[in-house]
């Protein structure tokens, strides 16, 4: 059973489009279950009907014509109840609805299961049999499993408009956005450039080209290189393999020269697709042909073809001449975009970012905000393969993405983008104004940095200092641990640029989703594993080198603060303080003119919230890392788009934990700041002011937005909103409440597109 399942799922994944996938499903499921009929109905929300979209067993002419209203028939019962229905005699059921065009009167046994994606019914999968007998439990479980797999393929097809096309609803396709998550504020309108893992053919996108000659050349060269490799391989195995086994290599060479690979791909390139995209399409098509063959030997040839394609792709990707040509207003789209890919696009060409995975607190989103680039995260259903070259609108406030939008939508967003420009210009005027509430409480605003080697944006932002310098980034971009002098140079640059304003350097916080290429950590649960302070305390030699470099970087400047990440135990603070003291004493002994810096602890683990007062007494300040705190309190992975709707720092539990931490810090007479992304969220800032937060640290691009909120708010009013929010049930209610307050105060432009 498992093998059959795998085979069907593989065939569905390899299908050219949804139409073909559905055909494969109905044929193969019917065969596997020895049923007389297998059909798929798709749900048409617009017309409120379930439409027969593929069948093996009913009259093929009825496909597309049988439409069952939401209130009728057995299919609707399955969809409405969102659970399977199994009957021994369908015609005897009171809801049975007979469609003469299907000629289904001869079938009695009926089993229907819903196709559900994220709680929504996308369609119904049905098998029927002549015998008046129920399908057995095994068969039911098999069909439920197939439907669950089909659901994700269909969810993709739904968001890319394929389902609507199949259902004949062309007109609604382009007005409905694909839903992602807000990543970085702003609106981007531009041309999609898809980035993908360069070794996975399935993920290679289409990309329009202008000069097909270069691409054809590259393709032919790649083919020749693979041919040479295969010939070499064959020769090397001459003495080991019998001739008949080596004939396989001759078959490979023939495949590489065949018209169906060489000629067909070249034709696709001439039609305007780049070589890797054209290759993917050719291979998809051929693999499909192989998969449909009955002969298992021929089916196996699909694997050979994939292997050859991987080799060709490898060479194509090495061809440096074919570097990506980023158009003006590039919207970078990818499955798992990395900070490096983002940094590769010339800044003046990058208009926006859309990532299929991740959420607001993923490091790519943090980088986008640092660069002031609108970003949408977790756009799971973005059709990566076909998006290259299309016009995209990415709304970083709502998380909506429009693919090839209609003229009206484009015009509307162009208008909003203009308003955004005005807003940004207005916000710029706040640069030199103090961050002070309307009743006179000063709340210094600092920047988070470390992501970029260039700290100019942070300097220009008018910040009161650096509240969080993530030191892991200089570590990530090297081939080995940077030494004391190397680190000293980097830290010194930041401290000097900001002096006399304070700079908070955080000790190395790798592990979790941040790994070093030269220090791999393999664990089952990295976010609960060897991370942050746990690593550096296990490696005092690394910790000491880093702390020495930090302390030395402040010579004659005296504006350094050191921050300890991922602390969950008191002992970690005791040990860290002892090491910092040791580094300081040693430096003194060596004759350096150093001062003991202030040391703070990050509160980002639930245990630290409960021990916050005790911890605060040991250190000079508290900094709340709401990104991790939210993840650990809510048990929601901050990078997992599947559960991203559950991740919100405005969850009442997070708000209470932050408030409790601020109270604890103040009880120990120590200042508390927030350096997680919550500090840059205008709605959340209202609550933080209400809690009496002492300072905030955020991306440079959020600074003036937050300042606007603070300057228009009194502490009294903020406390009142906090009390009201704490009485609410969930993050959605709290966010709506705060957004409305901002909107009423004329600051709606901070939480949605437009002014
Ligand atoms: C946090 O967890 O809130 C934080 C500021 O640290 P990072 O995002 O680097 O984990
Ligand atoms: Mg953290």
């Amino acid at each position: 059973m498992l093998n059959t399942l795998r085979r069907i799922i593989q065939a569905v994944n390899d299908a050219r489009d949804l139409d073909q996938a559905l055909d494969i499903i109905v044929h193969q499921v019917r065969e596997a279950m020895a049923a007389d009929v297998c059909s798929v109905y798709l749900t048409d929300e617009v017309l409120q009907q379930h439409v027969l979209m593929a069948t093996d067993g009913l009259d093929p002419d009825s496909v597309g014509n049988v439409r069952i209203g939401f209130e009728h028939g057995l299919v609707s019962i399955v969809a409405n109840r969102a659970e399977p229905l199994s009957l021994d005699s369908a015609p005897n059921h009171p809801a049975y609805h007979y469609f003469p065009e299907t000629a289904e009167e001869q079938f009695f046994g009926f089993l229907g299961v819903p196709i559900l994606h994220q709680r929504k019914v996308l369609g119904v999968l049905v098998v029927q049999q002549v015998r008046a007998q129920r399908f057995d439990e095994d068969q039911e479980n098999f069909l439920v499993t197939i439907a669950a797999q089909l659901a994700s393929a269909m969810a993709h097809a739904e968001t890319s408009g394929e389902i609507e096309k199949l259902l004949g609803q062309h007109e609604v396709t382009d007005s409905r956005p694909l839903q992602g998550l807000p990543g970085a504020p702003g609106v981007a309108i531009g041309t999609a450039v898809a980035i993908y893992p360069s070794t996975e053919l399935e993920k290679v996108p289409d990309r329009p080209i202008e000069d097909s000659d270069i691409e054809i050349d590259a393709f032919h060269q790649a083919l020749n290189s693979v041919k040479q490799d295969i010939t070499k391989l064959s020769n090397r195995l001459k003495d080991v393999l019998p001739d008949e086994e080596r004939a396989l290599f001759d078959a490979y060479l023939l495949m590489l020269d065949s018209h169906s690979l060489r000629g067909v791909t070249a034709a696709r390139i001439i039609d305007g697709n780049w070589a890797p995209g054209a290759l993917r399409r050719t291979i998809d098509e051929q693999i499909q042909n192989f998969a449909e063959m009955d002969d298992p030997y021929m089916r196996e040839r699909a694997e050979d073809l994939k292997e050859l394609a991987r080799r060709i792709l490898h060479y194509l990707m090495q061809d440096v001449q074919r570097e990506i040509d980023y158009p003006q207003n590039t919207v970078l789209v990818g499955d798992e975009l990395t900070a490096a890919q983002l940094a590769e696009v010339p800044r003046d060409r990058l208009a926006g970012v859309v990532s299929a995975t991740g959420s607001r607190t993923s490091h790519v989103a943090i980088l986008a905000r640092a660069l002031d680039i609108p970003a949408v995260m977790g756009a799971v259903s973005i059709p990566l393969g076909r998006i290259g070259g299309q016009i995209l609108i990415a709304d970083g406030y709502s998380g909506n993405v429009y693919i090839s939008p209609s003229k009206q939508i484009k015009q509307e967003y162009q208008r909003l983008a203009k308003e955004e420009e005005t807003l940004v210009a207005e916000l710029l005027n706040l640069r030199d104004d103090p961050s002070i509430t309307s009743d006179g409480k000063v709340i210094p605003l600092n920047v988070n940095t470390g992501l970029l080697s260039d700290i100019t944006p942070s300097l220009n932002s008018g910040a009161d200092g650096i509240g969080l310098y993530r030191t892991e980034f200089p570590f990530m971009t090297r081939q080995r641990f940077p030494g004391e002098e190397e680190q000293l140079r980097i830290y010194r640059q930041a401290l000097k640029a900001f002096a006399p304003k304070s700079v908070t350097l955080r000790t190395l916080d790798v592990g979790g989703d941040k790994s070093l290429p030269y220090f791999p950590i393999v664990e089952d649960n990295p976010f609960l594993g060897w991370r942050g302070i746990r690593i550096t305390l296990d490696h005092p030699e690394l910790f000491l080198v880093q702390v020495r470099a930090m302390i030395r970087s402040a010579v004659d400047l005296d504006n350094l603060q050191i921050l300890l990440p991922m602390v969950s135990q008191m002992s970690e603070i005791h040990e860290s303080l002892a090491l910092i003291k040791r580094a300081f004493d040693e430096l003194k002994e060596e004759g350096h003119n150093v001062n003991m810096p202030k040391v703070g602890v990050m509160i980002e683990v639930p245990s630290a919230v409960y021990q916050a007062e005790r911890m605060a007494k040991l250190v000079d300040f508290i900094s709340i890392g709401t990104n991790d705190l939210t993840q650990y309190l809510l048990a929601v992975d901050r990078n997992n788009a599947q559960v991203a709707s559950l991740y919100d720092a405005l969850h009442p539990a997070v708000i209470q934990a932050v408030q409790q931490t601020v109270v604890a810090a103040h009880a120990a007479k120590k200042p508390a700041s927030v350096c997680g992304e919550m500090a840059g969220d205008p709605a959340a800032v209202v609550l933080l002011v209400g809690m009496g937060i002492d300072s905030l640290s955020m991306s440079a691009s959020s600074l003036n937005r937050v300042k606007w909120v603070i300057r228009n708010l009194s502490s009294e009013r903020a406390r009142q909103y906090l009390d009201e929010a704490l009485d609410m049930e969930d993050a959605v209610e709290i966010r709506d409440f705060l957004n409305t307050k901002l909107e009423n105060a004329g600051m709606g432009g901070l939480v949605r597109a437009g002014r």
Side-chain angles (χ1 to χ4, degrees), residues 30 111 142 197 217-218 220 260 262 265 322 345 350 352 431 447 496 521 611 646 649 701 745:
R30 178 185 168 182
L111 171 61
F142 177 81
D217 259 9
H220 285 164
S260 51
R262 190 180 269 265
T265 307
R322 298 167 44 267
V345 189
L350 185 59
R431 187 188 171 280
V447 273
K496 224 174 164 173
I521 302 167
Q611 288 195 294
L646 300 174
S701 64

Side-chain angles (χ1 to χ4, degrees), residues 506 509 531 604 628 638:
R506 180 173 71 181
D509 183 26
R531 249 201 99 175
E604 49 181 351
D628 279 314
R638 63 194 263 187

Side-chain angles (χ1 to χ4, degrees), residues 11-299:
V12 168
N13 289 342
D14 287 344
R16 198 174 45 236
D17 51 28
L18 183 64
D19 207 9
Q20 193 181 40
L22 296 184
D23 274 339
I24 294 170
I25 288 266
V26 292
H27 293 313
Q28 300 206 1
V29 169
R30 178 185 168 182
E31 189 185 308
M33 292 182 67
D36 298 310
V37 176
C38 178
S39 315
V40 179
Y41 295 82
L42 291 190
T43 301
D44 184 335
E45 292 284 349
V46 178
L47 298 179
Q48 303 265 298
Q49 293 168 334
H50 304 290
V51 188
L52 178 66
M53 229 49 249
T55 184
D56 185 354
L58 299 183
D59 185 342
D61 288 341
S62 57
V63 167
N65 297 321
V66 169
R67 293 178 161 264
I68 308 172
F70 274 8
E71 300 307 321
H72 301 111
L74 302 176
V75 166
S76 293
I77 292 184
V78 176
N80 295 343
R81 292 188 190 159
E83 63 180 19
L85 175 68
S86 183
L87 301 170
D88 51 9
S89 175
N92 290 346
H93 193 284
Y96 179 74
H97 191 93
Y98 174 58
F99 288 90
E101 56 270 53
T102 60
E104 67 175 335
E105 66 279 13
Q106 40 180 326
F107 305 114
F108 288 85
F110 174 97
L111 171 61
V113 301
I115 304 168
L116 280 161
H117 183 71
Q118 294 186 338
R119 308 181 187 189
K120 186 174 156 209
V121 177
L122 301 178
V124 176
L125 184 57
V126 173
V127 285
Q128 292 171 272
Q129 61 189 356
V130 174
R131 271 182 300 163
Q133 193 181 326
R134 276 174 192 246
F135 287 89
D136 66 28
E137 200 181 320
D138 267 358
Q139 288 175 308
E140 184 171 325
N141 294 339
F142 177 81
L143 203 64
V144 167
T145 314
I146 290 277
Q149 295 282 344
L150 183 58
S152 50
M154 283 184 42
H156 266 266
E158 195 199 23
T159 41
S160 65
E162 245 190 285
I163 290 197
E164 285 162 345
K165 245 184 243 155
L166 274 184
L167 293 171
Q169 313 164 356
H170 303 280
E171 69 283 6
V172 283
T173 308
D174 64 1
S175 61
R176 215 182 53 187
L178 184 152
Q179 189 62 52
L181 304 161
V187 170
I189 307 174
T191 309
V193 173
I195 302 288
Y196 52 92
S198 58
T199 47
E200 294 176 46
L201 186 72
E202 316 78 69
K203 295 195 175 159
V204 167
D206 291 338
R207 187 171 287 164
I209 46 157
E210 279 173 12
D211 188 346
S212 58
D213 288 348
I214 296 182
E215 290 297 307
I216 297 238
D217 259 9
F219 176 56
H220 285 164
Q221 271 180 30
L223 280 180
N224 289 343
S225 302
V226 177
K227 277 169 70 179
Q228 280 169 14
D229 289 350
I230 302 278
T231 312
K232 263 191 228 154
L233 210 60
S234 167
N235 289 341
R236 208 182 309 148
L237 296 174
K238 217 174 197 143
D239 302 330
V240 206
L241 278 185
D243 280 355
E244 59 274 24
E245 295 286 342
R246 279 199 308 130
L248 178 68
F249 294 109
D250 295 332
Y252 280 177
L253 293 174
L254 284 177
M255 274 180 172
L256 288 167
D257 268 335
S258 66
H259 172 74
S260 51
L261 179 61
R262 190 180 269 265
V264 171
T265 307
R268 287 198 159 106
I269 297 174
I270 291 166
D271 275 351
N273 201 351
W274 71 323
L279 177 69
R280 189 204 78 239
R281 282 185 175 259
T282 305
I283 300 296
D284 276 358
E285 187 176 84
Q286 292 203 22
I287 285 174
Q288 201 44 57
N289 294 341
F290 279 125
E292 281 169 11
M293 292 179 186
D294 287 335
D295 182 348
Y297 174 81
M298 288 313 285
R299 279 204 209 133

Side-chain angles (χ1 to χ4, degrees), residues 535-547:
I535 297 181
T536 44
L537 286 179
D538 283 351
H539 280 280
E541 78 285 14
L542 296 178
F543 192 82
L544 282 169
V545 164
Q546 183 170 42
V547 169

Side-chain angles (χ1 to χ4, degrees), residues 609-610 612 655-665 691:
V609 173
Y610 289 100
I655 297 173
Q656 286 183 44
V658 173
Q659 189 186 25
Q660 197 175 319
T661 308
V662 175
V663 169
M691 291 175 199

